[in-house]
Amino acid sequence: METFHNIGTSTDWIVMVIYFLTIMLFGTYFGRYTKDTSDFFFGGRRFSWWLITMSIVATGVGSHSFVKYSAKGFEHGFSSSMTYLNDWFFVPFFMFGWLPIIVYSKVRSIPEYFEKRFNPSARFLATILLLLYMIGYIGIGFLTLGKAVVPMLPEAFHIFGITMDVTLMRAIIVIAVITGAYITFGGQTAVIFTDLLQGFILIFAGFMLFAIGISYVGGGQAFWDLLPTTWKLPLANFNEPSSFNFVGIFWQDAVAGSVGFLFMNQGLLMRFMACKNVNEGRKAAAINILFVLPLSAVVVGNAGWLGKAISTMSPDIISPNTSPDEIFVVVASIVTSPGVFGFVMAALTAALMSTVDTLINATAAIFVNDVYRPLIKYFQKSYSDSKEKDKAELFAARLTSIAITAAGVLSVLAFVQFPTVYEAHGYFHSTLTPPLVVAIFMGVFWKRFSPAGVITTFLGGVVLMILGARYPEMFISPFDHGIDMNPNRPYSYIRALYNLVVCVGVGFFVTYTSSLQNRFITWVRNTKNGQPIMILITTSATIAFSLLVFGITNFELFYPVIVILFVPLIVTYFGHYDEELATNGLTVWSIAAAKAAFKGSTPNEQLGEKIEVKFRLMDHDFDKVLFSKKDLSRMAAEVGDLVYLSDKRKWLGGLKSIHSEYGEPHDEEGVVYINRDHLDHGLFDEGKSLIAEKEM
C-alpha cells in the first residue's frame, strides 16, 4: 500500500506545537485541584453531567476512532459508522444496573467489586485480566497516535551530522513522554478539563473537515454521485466480506466492544464516578447515547468517505491503494489550507490523547487500589495520619502512571503486525474482553452467580478461548454465520462470539451444577482422606491449566474438562460464601440496599429546594456543615442527610464543590457554617455564593 511522509507545512507544525503546549499548560493548571487520591482518580466526585458528557465524548470517540473509522469508511463507505449505532442496546443496563452499584458500593475499582461480590481470589484474577486489558488499550492508543503522526514527519531527521530514521516506535515514544507529562501531575481533574477542551475541538474540526471536503469535490450532490452505490448503504452485508460484515461487526464491536467499554473500562467508569451523583451520571450517559454518538459517527468517518470520493474523481491525487490508516491525514492535507490542516491534526491528536490519558489514569487507579494497598496492608505498613497515607498513595499513583505509560508503549509491539488499527483493535477486544464482560454482567444481574462460577468463567473461559484460537475450524466454525475463514487471521470477527459463548456457557454450567458440587464437597469433608483428595484435584487442575496456556502438551482437548470440573470443587472446598451477604447491595435486585449502605441510614427521598447561601468559617473538626432550621426545612433535609455544596457559577461544572453531611442547625438563615477542610477541598472563593442541595 502507498504510504506518505512530509505531509504538512511549517505553519501546521507551529499550530500543533502551540496546541500541545496549551493542552499541557491547561492540564498542569488543573493539577492544583488534586489534593488527594480521591481527586487524582475520581475528581472528588463533584462534576455536573454536561462536563462529564464532553469528557466521555473525547475519551470514547477519540480512542482510535478517527483513524479506525476513516479507514473503514474509505474501504466500505457509510456502513463504517455501524458500531456507533450499537451502544444504545446496552446503555440501559449500565444506567440502571452497573452505574448505581459501582457508585453506591463505594468501590474504587472493578476488581474491588469482585472481592465484595465474590471473594479475594476473584479480585486477584480480575486485577490481572483488567490490567492486561487496560495496558493493551493504552498500546492501541499509542499505535493510533503514531500512525497519525508519522505521515507528517520526514523519513529521517539530520541532527548534528547524525541521521535518525523516523520509525513508528520512535514517534510513539516521543508522544508517550508528552502525554504522560500532564496526566502524571494532574490526575482526573486535569484529564476531565483537558477532555472538555479537546471534546469541543474534535467535534468542531470533524464537521469543519466534512464541510471543506464536500466543497472540494464540488458540493453535496457531486460528493454523493462520486461514491459507489455500495458505499451509500448504512449497513454492511450480512456475512461478507470476511474482513467487514454485519454479523461480525455486531459480535465484535457491539457486544464484546461496547459492553466491554461500558462495563469494564475503568477509565470510562471513573468518568461517571466523578459525577456528583448517580442521576448526573445517568444524564451524561443518556445525552451521550441519544445525541452525541450520532454526531460522532459523522465526525470520525467522514474523512474516509471523502477519500473515496476524491479517489474516484482524481485517482492521481488519492490512489485507491492508499493505506487506509493514513487516509484521514491524507484527506485533511488535501482539502484544507496550511494552518487549518495543523488545526485538524491537533484535533485528531486531541482525541487520541484524551483516551490515552484517561486509560493511564484509570490503570494507575487499579494498580494503587488492587495491588499497592493490599501489599501495604499485608506488610502492615502504618501511617501517622490520613494525610500522610494520602501523600504516599498519591506519590505511588504518579510513579505508577509513569510505569504504565512505559508498559503501554511496549504493548504496541503486540499490535504492529496487523494491517490496520481496526483489525488490531478488533482482535484485542475479542480476545481480552469476554471473560471480564461475562463475569461482570452475570455478577450484577444474576444473584445465584457464585465464586465458583466466576473463577471458573475466568479460568475455564480462557482455556476454551485458547483452544478456539489454536483450532478455529473445530471450535469457532460452528458460529461462523457462513463467513469464509481467512487463513491468515481465522474468524477474526466471530472469535468474539465464540469467546463470549464459551464464557457464558462455563458460568451457567458451574452455577446450575452447584448442588452436585456441594454434595461432592460434603462427602470429601466427611472422609478420612478429604484433604489429600482436594490436593490431588488442585494439583491436576493447575497442571492442566499451565500446560494448556504454555502449549507444551499434545492432549489439549482433554484439559478444559479437567479445569471446568475441578476448579468449582476447589473454590467451594477452600472458600466460604454467604450469598445473602455477598449480593446485598451488589446486584441489580438490591440497589435500594446499596443506596442505604452508601448513606449509612435510610435515604431521605422527600423533594426539596436548591437554595443559595453564603458560607462562614467555623473552628470545628467534624465533617459536617451547619444550616439554619429554616434552610433545612426548605431543602426537606434532616440532620444526618447528605448534602452537596457547590459554587453558584454553573460554568465551573462543579469544580468548586464538596459533599458533606447536615449537622445540627443554627438560626442564621442563608448562611452555612463550614470548616477549614471544607474550604480547602472545595476551593471556595470568599464572597461567592454557594448552592446547596440535599442528596439523600
Side-chain angles (χ1 to χ4, degrees), residues 28 74 84 108-109 194 216 278 283 319 331 342 358 367 370 378 386 473 507 563 648-649 692:
T28 303
F74 182 63
Y84 280 84
R108 290 176 168 243
S109 69
T194 52
Y216 179 88
V278 170
K283 288 180 187 177
S319 169
V331 168
T358 295
F367 185 86
D370 302 295
Y378 178 79
S386 60
E473 291 184 273
V563 173
K648 183 183 177 182
R649 294 167 289 181

Side-chain angles (χ1 to χ4, degrees), residues 19 22 168 186 198 205 224 234 301 361 436 452 567 579 595 653 679 692:
Y19 166 79
T22 302
L168 182 63
Q198 293 177 151
W224 183 258
N361 184 261
L436 265 172
V567 168
E579 182 179 296
K595 193 173 183 179
L679 180 66

Side-chain angles (χ1 to χ4, degrees), residues 401-413:
S401 294
I402 297 172
I404 288 167
T405 302
V409 172
L410 291 175
S411 73
V412 174
L413 299 173

Side-chain angles (χ1 to χ4, degrees), residues 296-319:
S296 300
V298 177
V299 167
V300 301
N302 73 78
W305 312 334
L306 290 169
K308 185 63 179 178
I310 297 171
S311 71
T312 303
M313 180 179 68
S314 304
D316 55 320
I317 297 177
I318 295 182
S319 169

Side-chain angles (χ1 to χ4, degrees), residues 9-21 152 339 342-343:
T9 65
S10 57
T11 303
D12 297 315
W13 279 107
I14 291 171
V15 171
M16 292 189 67
V17 168
I18 292 173
Y19 166 79
F20 279 123
L21 290 174
M152 298 182 64
F343 174 75

Side-chain angles (χ1 to χ4, degrees), residues 87 129 193 246 277 353 670:
D87 288 21
L129 289 172
F193 276 89
F246 179 93
N277 56 44
M353 287 175 63

Side-chain angles (χ1 to χ4, degrees), residues 249-483:
I249 294 169
F250 179 78
W251 290 116
Q252 178 182 279
D253 292 1
V255 178
S258 296
V259 176
F261 191 70
L262 282 169
F263 281 79
M264 61 177 279
N265 189 310
Q266 182 77 18
L268 183 71
L269 286 178
M270 286 166 61
R271 287 292 189 275
F272 287 103
M273 293 162 75
C275 286
K276 68 180 185 181
N277 56 44
V278 170
N279 284 335
E280 290 292 294
R282 286 170 174 162
K283 288 180 187 177
I287 296 299
N288 184 59
I289 200 71
L290 292 174
F291 300 104
V292 178
L293 277 186
L295 298 176
S296 300
V298 177
V299 167
V300 301
N302 73 78
W305 312 334
L306 290 169
K308 185 63 179 178
I310 297 171
S311 71
T312 303
M313 180 179 68
S314 304
D316 55 320
I317 297 177
I318 295 182
S319 169
N321 295 320
T322 299
S323 174
D325 277 351
E326 295 185 354
I327 196 63
F328 180 93
V329 181
V330 172
V331 168
S333 68
I334 291 171
V335 304
T336 61
S337 58
V340 176
F341 173 64
F343 174 75
V344 172
M345 289 306 301
L348 172 63
T349 52
L352 296 167
M353 287 175 63
S354 67
T355 295
V356 173
D357 61 31
T358 295
L359 294 171
I360 292 171
N361 184 261
T363 311
I366 295 169
F367 185 86
V368 169
N369 194 66
D370 302 295
V371 179
Y372 177 81
R373 284 174 180 155
L375 286 175
I376 292 296
K377 185 178 180 180
Y378 178 79
F379 289 109
Q380 298 182 340
K381 169 77 173 175
S382 61
Y383 298 96
S384 58
D385 54 37
S386 60
K387 289 186 177 180
E388 184 188 1
K389 180 183 177 183
D390 264 331
K391 186 177 179 181
E393 289 185 347
L394 190 58
F395 180 72
R398 284 170 169 155
L399 285 182
T400 303
S401 294
I402 297 172
I404 288 167
T405 302
V409 172
L410 291 175
S411 73
V412 174
L413 299 173
F415 304 116
V416 293
Q417 60 176 309
F418 291 90
T420 67
V421 171
Y422 186 88
E423 277 72 21
H425 191 263
Y427 180 84
F428 164 75
H429 257 315
S430 62
T431 302
L432 283 178
T433 301
L436 265 172
V437 165
V438 170
I440 293 171
F441 212 86
M442 294 176 77
V444 170
F445 294 98
W446 194 17
K447 187 177 178 180
R448 285 187 59 187
F449 199 47
S450 64
V454 71
I455 291 174
T456 312
T457 296
F458 286 150
L459 299 179
V462 167
V463 166
L464 290 169
M465 287 164 58
I466 291 172
L467 286 178
R470 293 179 184 172
Y471 306 103
E473 291 184 273
M474 179 185 300
F475 287 90
I476 304 180
S477 61
F479 303 88
D480 64 12
H481 292 78
I483 299 171

